[in-house]
Amino acid sequence: MSAVTLGPKGTYSHRAATAIADGDAIEFRQSVTSIVDAVASEDHDRGVIPIENSIEGSVTESLDALAGYDVAVVREIVTPIRHALLAQGPKFDTIASHSQALAQCRTYLEREYPNATLEAVASTAQGVEYARDDPSVAGIGHPANAENGTTLDVLAEDIQDQDSNATRFFALAPAEERSKGGGKTSLVVYPNANYPGLLLELLEPFADRDINLTRVESRPSGRRLGDYVFHVDIEAGLYEARTNEAIADLEDLAEKGWVRKLGSYDTEHVVE
């Protein structure tokens, strides 16, 4: 099975992708949108994208890509995030990493390196590569990136603001592999409407059937100001009658727009 995820090698996305594909079957892209496109066009069997971090919240590029492409979510992978400060030595003036990693380590960086320049790059692994190539740059990434005889030292470990820091990843597949089995389901809803009480009406079908919503989030549709797409995660599978009844009500409410069932799935924890 081939998989594609955020690169280069050594990102947290890469670590999550090893749960579904062998290392030599994993390829890399520099953006979430290109990963989702590769799965939608069936260039790869699976794609792994970050969805939500326990400190910084949702990854907006991932939400927008899921609204823009017809793909299936077939697994949820949760992995702890252990950030380390990696550099060739203790003297550097720039710290490079993904914007979310920099934000997740904000307290440590402000306390220990208040004068350092923070540079947001495409991935944690890219920041580590910069540090490997330039002694004036430090990177933030998993401590394993300093192993295997590299030129980098681990200057500090577990520098994230919260010890419970973890990220959810979605394993994506082509749309025809969408499953009804699983304990969770993700939906994307575009009501193409805006009136008082709309959000309440969108949530009531689930409350009426005792279905727990684990996440509700809005993103601009891009069509006009004040027009939104809603991302909804529920603790129920598409095999359940109550889920299908709720979605049918949702489709009636969104008759001018659409409802996309991304699929049902189970959660796997990757702790390495």
Side-chain angles (χ1 to χ4, degrees):
M1 178 177 293
S2 67
V4 58
T5 193
L6 288 171
K9 183 178 180 180
T11 62
Y12 288 99
S13 294
H14 179 212
R15 299 179 73 84
T18 60
I20 64 170
D22 294 332
D24 56 0
I26 299 173
E27 295 187 9
F28 303 104
R29 297 288 188 275
Q30 293 301 309
S31 74
V32 167
T33 302
S34 62
I35 293 168
V36 180
D37 180 75
V39 174
S41 59
E42 301 189 18
D43 291 338
H44 287 276
D45 300 317
R46 296 290 184 269
V48 176
I49 63 171
I51 288 295
E52 182 181 16
N53 176 261
S54 60
I55 296 176
E56 285 301 300
S58 296
V59 180
T60 55
E61 184 186 1
S62 296
L63 299 182
D64 294 343
L66 290 175
Y69 289 86
D70 188 16
V71 293
V73 177
V74 293
R75 286 168 72 179
E76 179 184 70
I77 302 166
V78 178
T79 183
I81 303 299
R82 293 186 55 221
H83 286 317
L85 186 67
L86 311 174
Q88 295 185 35
K91 294 183 178 180
F92 51 84
D93 52 34
T94 299
I95 300 174
S97 193
H98 190 275
S99 58
Q100 283 227 347
L102 293 171
Q104 291 161 20
C105 303
R106 183 181 295 111
T107 300
Y108 172 84
L109 296 177
E110 290 178 351
R111 183 182 69 244
E112 300 294 333
Y113 299 97
N115 298 320
T117 299
L118 304 184
E119 181 179 348
V121 296
S123 67
T124 55
Q126 188 175 80
V128 171
E129 288 296 322
Y130 287 171
R132 188 173 286 119
D133 294 337
D134 186 344
S136 71
V137 177
I140 294 175
H142 193 280
N145 285 293
E147 297 174 357
N148 303 319
T150 69
T151 59
L152 295 177
D153 295 326
V154 178
L155 302 184
E157 289 193 52
D158 294 322
I159 64 173
Q160 62 273 3
D161 290 348
Q162 301 289 337
D163 290 338
S164 59
N165 189 12
T167 294
R168 300 170 62 214
F169 295 87
F170 275 169
L172 307 179
E176 61 268 19
E177 294 187 43
R178 188 173 292 117
S179 173
K180 295 182 178 180
K184 295 181 71 175
T185 299
S186 288
L187 309 167
V188 185
V189 183
Y190 177 55
N192 194 19
N194 184 17
Y195 55 83
L198 171 62
L199 180 57
L200 177 62
E201 290 185 3
L202 294 176
L203 302 182
E204 280 181 334
F206 302 103
D208 291 344
R209 294 169 177 85
D210 199 29
I211 297 174
N212 187 39
L213 284 84
T214 58
R215 184 172 64 92
V216 179
E217 189 155 356
S218 63
R219 288 288 299 155
S221 69
R223 296 190 175 191
R224 55 188 176 270
L225 193 64
D227 192 47
Y228 293 96
V229 173
F230 295 92
H231 294 260
V232 180
D233 292 347
I234 62 174
E235 286 186 331
L238 288 170
Y239 67 91
E240 298 182 58
R242 60 174 183 160
T243 305
N244 290 293
E245 291 170 0
I247 292 174
D249 287 352
L250 207 61
E251 290 171 334
D252 289 341
L253 291 168
E255 60 179 349
K256 295 180 180 180
W258 44 263
V259 176
R260 181 172 298 151
K261 294 175 281 190
L262 296 177
S264 297
Y265 51 85
D266 289 318
T267 302
E268 176 178 345
H269 292 266
V270 176
V271 297
E272 295 183 358

